[in-house]
Amino acid sequence: MEEPKSQSEVKEYFRIVGMRPLVGNVTVGGSKNAALPILAATLLSDEPSLIHNVPDLLDVQTMVMVLESLGVQVERVGRHSYRIMPATLSGSEPPYELIRKMRASFLVTGPLISRLGRAQVPLPGGCAIGSRPIDLHLKGFTHLGVRVSMRSGYIEAWAERLQGGEVYFDFPSVGATENVMMLAATIEDETIIANAAREPEVVDLARFLTLMGASIEGAGTDTVVVRGRKNLKGCEYTIMNDRIEAGTFCVAAAITRGDVVVQGIEVSLLRSVVTKLEEVGAKVERMAEDVVRVTMPCRPKPTNIKTMPYPGFPTDMQAQFMSLLCLAEGVSVITETVFESRFAHVGELERMGAKIQVEGRSAVVVGVEKLNGTQVTATDLRAGAALVLAGLAAEGVTEVYGVRHIDRGYEDLEVKLRSLGASIERVRE
Ligand code: UD1
């Protein structure tokens, strides 16, 4: 009998036959980056919470495993709904394998300190898109009365008495804003977070914490004021939809010169992406508050992009736009200001015939008339999405390896693209 193959021996890739314009309607799912902090925030109460519209993604499974590793009971009550029962929370030390797998696991730290008065969390370490420190999270905690020390790769945080305070971030970190908001949500004084991240996912978390009983003002601006409550309630909540998934489908329409209606996303959240699509020559029609239609009548024109914290152009859309600009009629410059090294897709796009030169934090993209299908490998989530988009536009067959990175953040990507007329299949060998 044949030995069962280990995960690493199974070859899995997307096989894409390119140059087919995408046409049709697609609906986006729940937001990964809103779901992860909200799942962590359920720990703040000892009552159960019921969370809907949770995307079916590897990163969500990892967060669920983190919760379970802490003694919490999690029941999946549908493909996209989870009942979290945190009364049995007992552990304050999430395991290294899970934190290493997904940096966002660190979001349980604020809730653990709040519920148990302590947390021992492994340092998340580096990742494919730069070193990504957690100093801002820790500084924020210390302003609320938490003592922090570091020992053998672990953060030890404990607090005898938490108190409100003023926190100023040198950079509007999304995760640090969320972690401090969660900790502050159970402190009965006022906490002011200045230079807070303004991302819509921070606003979604604030809505959830408000339903649990905290008072939060200013979420979505650079100053968030939290007045917490000692005993937060469990609640029922529906996660917002995913603006990055929506943006990715908009670019898919443009890169294949297609005609796609993207449903289920508040179009105002896509402003920077829509502006850039228009600059490259796409026609973007807002059909309703949460429906947008993208058509692309011509070869893309070049443009320049600089990633910024929200409402600037999202770093999570940088790679996908690079694929589009590879086919532009002229030279574009993409500058990555949020992460220190987020150009892993460049080498792979070059294998498909793209002409890109990276100089420090900028990539100069000289548009070519066509890309050629070949074998490429995704090394991170958005790089993977960019390679799929490039494959959809390329001549011939593209095989995208590293599919597990794509599965971290896109639910049924190939199924949704096929429904728009793409030739893409998941091959497992
Ligand atoms: C979140 C998103 C991620 C997105 C990013 C920026 C989730 C689960 N992930 O990640 O998809 O790309 O926002 O929009 O929501 N930094 C520090 N010290 C810190 C924290 C961050 O120097 O303590 C730096 C990071 O290294 C990075 C920058 O700040 O250069 C932005 O990071 P941050 O906003 O914290 O991103 P994440 O919350 O990790």
Side-chain angles (χ1 to χ4, degrees):
M1 213 171 73
E2 217 182 299
E3 288 274 302
K5 282 201 160 66
S6 78
Q7 202 58 28
S8 57
E9 282 174 288
V10 178
K11 200 160 95 176
E12 190 173 25
Y13 59 93
F14 283 139
R15 182 180 189 276
I16 304 167
V17 184
M19 292 190 110
R20 297 189 180 197
L22 299 192
V23 179
N25 289 20
V26 66
T27 302
V28 297
S31 160
K32 167 178 87 71
N33 288 354
L36 297 175
I38 287 172
L39 288 171
T42 60
L43 298 183
L44 290 166
S45 169
D46 55 9
E47 294 178 12
S49 285
L50 181 56
I51 314 293
H52 303 292
N53 203 31
V54 181
D56 189 2
L57 301 171
L58 282 184
D59 274 7
V60 166
Q61 286 171 26
T62 304
M63 184 55 91
V64 165
M65 285 192 274
V66 171
L67 300 183
E68 287 173 337
S69 75
L70 301 170
V72 171
Q73 282 174 279
V74 180
E75 186 191 345
R76 194 166 182 178
V77 289
R79 187 176 182 198
H80 297 123
S81 295
Y82 288 85
R83 181 174 290 110
I84 317 284
M85 291 158 282
T88 48
L89 175 75
S90 50
S92 57
E93 187 175 328
Y96 173 65
E97 317 87 77
L98 296 177
I99 299 280
R100 189 177 59 91
K101 238 191 202 171
M102 183 182 73
R103 185 187 147 84
S105 321
F106 195 72
L107 289 169
V108 296
T109 312
L112 283 177
I113 302 169
S114 158
R115 276 282 301 283
L116 304 174
R118 66 182 192 284
Q120 294 90 40
V121 185
L123 276 166
C127 76
I129 59 173
S131 67
R132 302 181 85 175
I134 41 148
D135 54 321
L136 299 173
H137 300 240
L138 302 182
K139 266 190 209 161
F141 291 155
T142 55
H143 285 281
L144 305 189
V146 178
R147 314 250 308 263
V148 176
S149 74
M150 234 166 287
R151 197 174 48 84
S152 333
Y154 274 72
I155 307 285
E156 295 196 338
W158 69 99
E160 267 131 46
R161 209 183 78 80
L162 289 164
Q163 78 225 5
E166 287 194 22
V167 175
Y168 164 78
F169 287 131
D170 291 325
F171 182 88
S173 154
V174 176
T177 301
E178 293 169 341
N179 236 337
V180 172
M181 268 167 61
M182 290 189 277
L183 180 61
T186 55
I187 303 175
E188 287 192 333
D189 316 323
E190 183 175 271
T191 296
I192 299 173
I193 308 172
N195 202 21
R198 290 180 280 170
E199 267 67 3
E201 295 75 20
V202 170
V203 180
D204 213 36
L205 173 64
R207 276 188 218 116
F208 179 68
L209 295 173
T210 306
L211 265 186
M212 291 183 95
S215 150
I216 300 183
E217 280 165 32
T221 75
D222 61 8
T223 307
V224 179
V225 181
V226 183
R227 270 178 225 89
R229 203 170 109 167
K230 207 161 179 39
N231 296 311
L232 292 180
K233 305 181 290 254
C235 59
E236 186 166 352
Y237 191 72
T238 301
I239 305 274
M240 68 180 285
N241 277 351
D242 198 308
R243 64 192 168 100
I244 305 301
E245 186 192 8
T248 303
F249 283 115
C250 291
V251 177
I255 202 169
T256 62
R257 301 208 199 159
D259 180 350
V260 175
V261 174
V262 181
Q263 297 172 327
I265 190 70
E266 215 181 291
V267 188
S268 62
L269 303 183
L270 288 179
R271 204 163 279 134
S272 58
V273 169
V274 164
T275 304
K276 289 295 158 187
L277 282 169
E278 286 173 339
E279 279 177 22
V280 302
K283 203 168 143 232
V284 184
E285 222 180 305
R286 183 178 165 150
M287 300 175 76
E289 211 175 295
D290 64 347
V291 183
V292 66
R293 176 179 178 192
V294 179
T295 43
M296 188 70 181
C298 56
R299 187 176 164 193
K301 292 191 259 250
T303 190
N304 296 333
I305 287 177
K306 195 185 252 188
T307 64
M308 308 267 258
Y310 189 84
F313 187 89
T315 172
D316 286 349
M317 284 300 301
Q318 180 257 104
Q320 301 89 315
F321 253 80
M322 188 180 288
S323 295
L324 178 62
L325 293 175
C326 283
L327 290 164
E329 221 169 343
V331 180
S332 308
V333 179
I334 299 180
T335 307
E336 174 59 59
T337 76
V338 177
F339 288 109
E340 69 183 18
S341 60
R342 203 176 192 179
F343 285 135
H345 41 290
V346 167
E348 300 303 294
L349 288 171
E350 282 175 329
R351 289 173 47 76
M352 299 178 75
K355 289 207 165 65
I356 306 164
Q357 192 164 344
V358 176
E359 285 174 21
R361 290 195 155 203
S362 294
V364 179
V365 184
V366 181
V368 293
E369 229 162 278
K370 67 176 173 67
L371 293 171
N372 302 306
T374 184
Q375 293 171 318
V376 287
T377 301
T379 48
D380 70 69
L381 165 57
R382 306 303 168 186
L387 296 174
V388 168
L389 296 182
L392 293 172
E395 191 172 84
V397 176
T398 301
E399 290 176 1
V400 181
Y401 291 82
V403 168
R404 72 193 156 85
H405 289 289
I406 301 172
D407 291 338
R408 287 184 61 173
Y410 292 91
E411 178 181 315
D412 294 341
L413 180 64
E414 76 277 23
V415 178
K416 288 184 176 180
L417 288 171
R418 260 201 309 271
S419 77
L420 297 171
S423 168
I424 172 168
E425 52 179 324
R426 185 184 287 258
V427 182
R428 281 198 187 96
E429 285 175 358

